[in-house]
Amino acid sequence: PKVLKEVAKSLGVTKGQMRSSWEVMTSHGNLSGASNLAVLDHHNQLAENLANDTSEWALCLSMGPGVCLEGLIIRDVRRKRMNNVPKLMD
């Protein structure tokens, strides 16, 4: 969809970085405001993302009909917690 191409172009990200957005849009179409939750759920279910994705922050945008836009900036606190675990043994 053109909207995903334009968002990727504007943010300077790759299609791979928006994998969950593309897969949810292809499978379910535009879910308007529910898109953020559907994409987040899809992203969290991809085990490879949890292992290979080093991103701590994510930008979530969803667009509905007319002039309807919803945005979130979210942080992966699980990764933050993992990075702050004290070493008990060397």
Side-chain angles (χ1 to χ4, degrees):
K2 185 174 182 176
V3 67
L4 291 181
K5 290 178 186 175
E6 292 300 319
V7 167
K9 181 178 163 185
S10 297
L11 295 175
V13 298
T14 66
K15 188 173 179 178
Q17 290 173 297
M18 294 181 59
R19 176 181 174 183
S20 292
S21 296
W22 280 94
E23 291 187 19
V24 168
M25 180 74 93
T26 301
S27 299
H28 305 290
N30 187 349
L31 301 172
S32 295
S35 296
N36 283 330
L37 294 176
V39 172
L40 181 60
D41 182 56
H42 184 276
H43 178 77
N44 286 339
Q45 289 183 31
L46 291 175
E48 67 185 57
N49 279 343
L50 297 176
N52 296 333
D53 184 6
T54 59
S55 301
E56 185 177 341
W57 294 91
L59 173 65
C60 305
L61 298 172
S62 57
M63 297 157 206
V67 185
C68 181
L69 176 68
E70 178 181 298
L72 303 164
I73 298 175
I74 59 174
R75 184 177 191 184
D76 187 344
V77 295
R78 297 169 300 177
R79 190 170 319 284
K80 179 89 171 139
R81 232 180 283 134
M82 287 186 286
N83 291 337
N84 289 333
V85 175
K87 290 185 180 180
L88 300 176
M89 299 173 59
D90 284 326

